[in-house]
Amino acid sequence: MPKIVDHEERRKQIAEATWRVIFNQGMKGATVRNIAQEAGLSLGALRHYFSTQDELLSFAMRLVKERATQRIQDIAMREMSPKEKMVQILLELVPVDEQRMAEMEVWFAFTFHQKYETISQNEMHQGFFPELERSLEYLAHHGLLREGLDLELEAEKLYAIIDGIALHALLESQRLRPERIIRVLTSHIQSICKEDETN
Amino acid sequence: MPKIVDHEERRKQIAEATWRVIFNQGMKGATVRNIAQEAGLSLGALRHYFSTQDELLSFAMRLVKERATQRIQDIAMREMSPKEKMVQILLELVPVDEQRMAEMEVWFAFTFHQKYETISQNEMHQGFFPELERSLEYLAHHGLLREGLDLELEAEKLYAIIDGIALHALLESQRLRPERIIRVLTSHIQSICKEDETN
């Protein structure tokens, strides 16, 4: 069914054009007209793939989350120590390179936009809280976490650290460079884990 | 000089009207016309106090920061243990009540707005990183911090926790209720301090 594949592929290309428009002009610039132009399509052609702006924006956002989830799953399959894996996963959720910076920018712009718009509530902000909770359980399962931690509070704290860092990396990129982000996340994971035994 | 006092007072009232408009309608609604209406002023009268929308928004934002800073200073003067003081100060920076929720909402809306607007760069996002750094130095000065902590990294982490929690309190208020926020911040301060000796 090559036609269906093409259709999905084209929708993804349009979503990527949407990210570029939001990245460069903010949500205000994310009109169907601007997005069509960025994607090299006529307005009519764009409407063939997305009948409303709302549908297009929701799809573009879901794709951000889907891709991050995919990257996390890829890391989860790799051979490395649980602690290193944890840090690598966290680094997928903060903007340490240009692509992730753009995704994060779109994520925040969209999130604040939709608070005041009529976008359906089930497309509302969906963060990575459950994923982070599971990652901590994974460390606990491997016997790596310090004794006496409250997993739920630790997940809440880690989730705050991740999104706080993402926010600051966007707004205060002069101070918060990628190598500093890596140090903060690594030191946090160290602080909730037992003393090292080369793990 | 009662006239000058009145002038400043009126500017503050207009700033508060601005917060209400942004809180209810987002930045998109923060037109000079809407703000004048919310403040019960004519457009002409409003222009007497702020000649441009940019000037008004910048003033409104500075006032958010000024008031938070004032509240922090008030706490710093009070009699309580250093650790308790630290938690109380942190609680001034996250939305645990309606007023702070509104301030935070305005803060984020404005912050993302100005990334794409022509607002002068010196009004750009100014977070509380230096204040948090100083608070940690204060705990260190009282000999309360654990040995071997890297203060700069800890400040970065604490700053991320604060803004991450603020963000999640706005977006995921169902899960992240005030009592949970208090537990996360208290447990974080405990985790970077030496074991308790009733302090």
Side-chain angles (χ1 to χ4, degrees):
Chain A
M1 301 185 289
K3 220 167 162 209
I4 289 172
V5 172
D6 284 355
H7 189 81
E8 261 316 280
E9 207 37 59
R10 184 52 69 95
R11 277 165 65 94
K12 287 182 183 171
Q13 285 165 8
I14 296 170
E16 285 162 6
T18 307
W19 300 348
R20 288 193 300 273
V21 169
I22 295 177
F23 187 62
N24 291 320
Q25 306 174 44
M27 283 306 292
K28 223 170 61 178
T31 61
V32 180
R33 189 174 299 274
N34 284 347
I35 293 166
Q37 194 183 10
E38 177 70 31
L41 291 173
S42 70
L43 258 183
L46 186 107
R47 290 233 167 82
H48 175 66
Y49 296 99
F50 297 99
S51 53
T52 65
Q53 190 203 24
D54 188 348
E55 191 195 336
L56 166 51
L57 291 176
S58 298
F59 179 83
M61 274 310 286
R62 277 201 307 276
L63 199 58
V64 169
K65 174 134 193 191
E66 247 176 66
R67 293 206 170 161
T69 306
Q70 186 56 55
R71 291 195 308 256
I72 289 173
Q73 283 169 358
D74 291 349
I75 291 170
M77 304 297 285
R78 273 190 236 149
E79 285 294 329
M80 56 183 120
S81 80
K83 249 156 96 175
E84 198 185 333
K85 206 175 263 192
M86 181 77 180
V87 173
Q88 291 301 321
I89 286 172
L90 297 181
L91 287 174
E92 289 299 331
L93 300 175
V94 290
V96 286
D97 60 26
E98 268 197 5
Q99 187 206 330
R100 252 145 285 192
M101 188 74 102
E103 283 181 12
M104 205 59 72
E105 180 111 26
V106 171
W107 180 275
F108 279 120
F110 185 81
T111 294
F112 279 93
H113 170 75
Q114 72 184 349
K115 279 206 66 152
Y116 303 102
E117 301 297 326
T118 54
I119 290 170
S120 48
Q121 287 293 315
N122 59 0
E123 298 296 342
M124 269 301 281
H125 181 75
Q126 286 180 15
F128 281 91
F129 181 75
E131 285 81 355
L132 292 174
E133 224 174 358
R134 275 202 297 277
S135 310
L136 288 177
E137 280 161 12
Y138 164 82
L139 288 183
H141 176 78
H142 281 80
L144 294 171
L145 284 191
R146 273 182 204 283
E147 305 293 326
L149 291 182
D150 178 327
L151 272 199
E152 208 185 342
L153 281 194
E154 289 302 323
E156 198 67 74
K157 198 207 278 197
L158 183 57
Y159 183 38
I161 291 175
I162 289 298
D163 275 350
I165 281 185
L167 188 70
H168 296 152
L170 284 184
L171 299 174
E172 303 171 39
S173 53
Q174 297 285 355
R175 195 192 66 252
L176 196 51
R177 303 216 172 271
E179 61 275 14
R180 193 169 164 110
I181 294 177
I182 293 170
R183 282 172 62 217
V184 173
L185 294 181
T186 307
S187 100
H188 181 66
I189 295 306
Q190 293 291 358
S191 79
I192 60 173
C193 285
K194 293 177 185 159
E195 301 289 320
D196 254 331
E197 306 137 22
T198 47
N199 216 357
Chain B
M1 301 184 292
K3 215 158 167 217
I4 289 173
V5 173
D6 285 355
H7 189 83
E8 261 316 281
E9 208 36 58
R10 183 53 68 95
R11 277 165 65 94
K12 286 180 182 170
Q13 286 166 6
I14 296 170
E16 285 162 7
T18 305
W19 299 347
R20 290 194 298 274
V21 170
I22 295 177
F23 187 63
N24 291 320
Q25 306 174 43
M27 282 307 292
K28 223 171 59 179
T31 61
V32 179
R33 188 172 301 272
N34 285 346
I35 293 165
Q37 193 182 10
E38 176 69 32
L41 291 173
S42 70
L43 257 184
L46 185 108
R47 291 232 167 83
H48 175 65
Y49 296 99
F50 296 99
S51 53
T52 66
Q53 189 203 23
D54 188 347
E55 191 195 336
L56 166 52
L57 292 176
S58 298
F59 178 83
M61 274 310 287
R62 276 201 308 275
L63 200 58
V64 170
K65 174 136 193 186
E66 249 177 65
R67 293 205 170 163
T69 307
Q70 186 57 54
R71 291 194 307 256
I72 290 174
Q73 283 169 0
D74 291 349
I75 291 170
M77 305 296 285
R78 274 189 236 150
E79 286 294 329
M80 57 182 121
S81 79
K83 250 157 95 177
E84 199 186 333
K85 205 175 265 193
M86 181 75 180
V87 173
Q88 290 301 321
I89 286 173
L90 297 181
L91 287 175
E92 289 299 331
L93 301 176
V94 290
V96 285
D97 60 26
E98 267 197 6
Q99 187 207 333
R100 252 144 284 193
M101 189 73 104
E103 284 181 11
M104 204 59 70
E105 181 110 27
V106 171
W107 179 275
F108 279 120
F110 186 81
T111 294
F112 278 92
H113 171 74
Q114 72 184 347
K115 279 206 66 150
Y116 303 100
E117 301 298 326
T118 54
I119 289 171
S120 48
Q121 286 295 312
N122 58 0
E123 299 296 341
M124 268 301 281
H125 182 74
Q126 286 179 16
F128 281 91
F129 181 73
E131 285 82 356
L132 293 174
E133 223 174 0
R134 275 201 299 277
S135 311
L136 288 177
E137 280 160 13
Y138 163 83
L139 288 183
H141 175 78
H142 281 80
L144 295 171
L145 285 190
R146 273 183 205 282
E147 305 293 326
L149 292 182
D150 178 327
L151 272 199
E152 209 186 340
L153 280 194
E154 289 301 324
E156 198 69 73
K157 199 207 275 195
L158 183 57
Y159 183 38
I161 290 175
I162 290 297
D163 276 350
I165 282 185
L167 188 71
H168 298 152
L170 285 184
L171 299 174
E172 302 170 39
S173 53
Q174 297 284 355
R175 194 192 66 252
L176 196 50
R177 301 218 173 268
E179 62 275 14
R180 193 167 164 110
I181 293 177
I182 294 169
R183 283 172 60 216
V184 173
L185 294 181
T186 306
S187 102
H188 181 64
I189 295 305
Q190 294 290 0
S191 80
I192 59 172
C193 286
K194 292 176 185 161
E195 300 291 320
D196 255 330
E197 307 135 25
T198 48
N199 215 359

